[in-house]
Amino acid sequence: MSKPKPSKSAAKPGLLARLFGADPAPAATKPAQRYTGPAKDPRTVLAQQIKAIRARLNPQIVRLAEKVARKGPAVTDQERATLAIELFLAQKQDGGDFAAKLREKLAEQKRRSH
């Protein structure tokens, strides 16, 4: 079986036609873009992207990140431990039950030690 030959209209003009001034194949034109309204301000676009990302995040973690951003990074070991525990508790999906139990146990230990 031989390969089918492309039609003459699809192929470029032959050598003689090109030598004697045949028109080259028309260049493919780029389709016109549809008008979608005025260009958006980059700040507006960025604000929309930030809102979309924040909507997917756990609100407790966002609050902790804002707290760290305001205060700066944790300096003491106690601050670092507190932040680590807060992040751990924010990841729990129990509606704060585990955090409440933990606070109660810590408060009870503190009362016993004093």
Side-chain angles (χ1 to χ4, degrees):
M1 283 192 160
S2 64
K3 291 183 184 178
K5 292 185 179 182
S7 67
K8 286 283 184 182
S9 62
K12 61 182 183 179
L15 178 62
L16 289 177
R18 285 183 285 165
L19 286 174
F20 292 108
D23 291 334
T29 57
K30 188 175 170 184
Q33 287 185 327
R34 290 179 28 187
Y35 178 72
T36 57
K40 291 185 178 178
D41 179 36
R43 290 180 182 177
T44 307
V45 173
L46 183 61
Q48 290 172 345
Q49 291 172 349
I50 290 170
K51 284 180 186 176
I53 291 170
R54 279 186 141 207
R56 292 189 309 241
L57 295 176
N58 184 335
Q60 290 176 324
I61 292 176
V62 173
R63 272 185 253 129
L64 286 172
E66 288 172 346
K67 179 173 134 182
V68 169
R70 267 186 263 115
K71 285 179 58 178
V75 179
T76 64
D77 287 340
Q78 184 177 1
E79 288 175 351
R80 287 187 186 113
T82 302
L83 182 61
I85 291 169
E86 287 175 348
L87 286 171
F88 170 75
L89 293 175
Q91 292 297 320
K92 291 271 198 195
Q93 299 294 326
D94 62 353
D97 292 338
F98 184 78
K101 289 176 188 175
L102 183 63
R103 276 190 218 105
E104 287 174 17
K105 286 183 181 180
L106 289 174
E108 186 179 315
Q109 276 184 344
K110 200 174 200 179
R111 274 184 260 131
R112 271 195 257 139
S113 67
H114 287 126

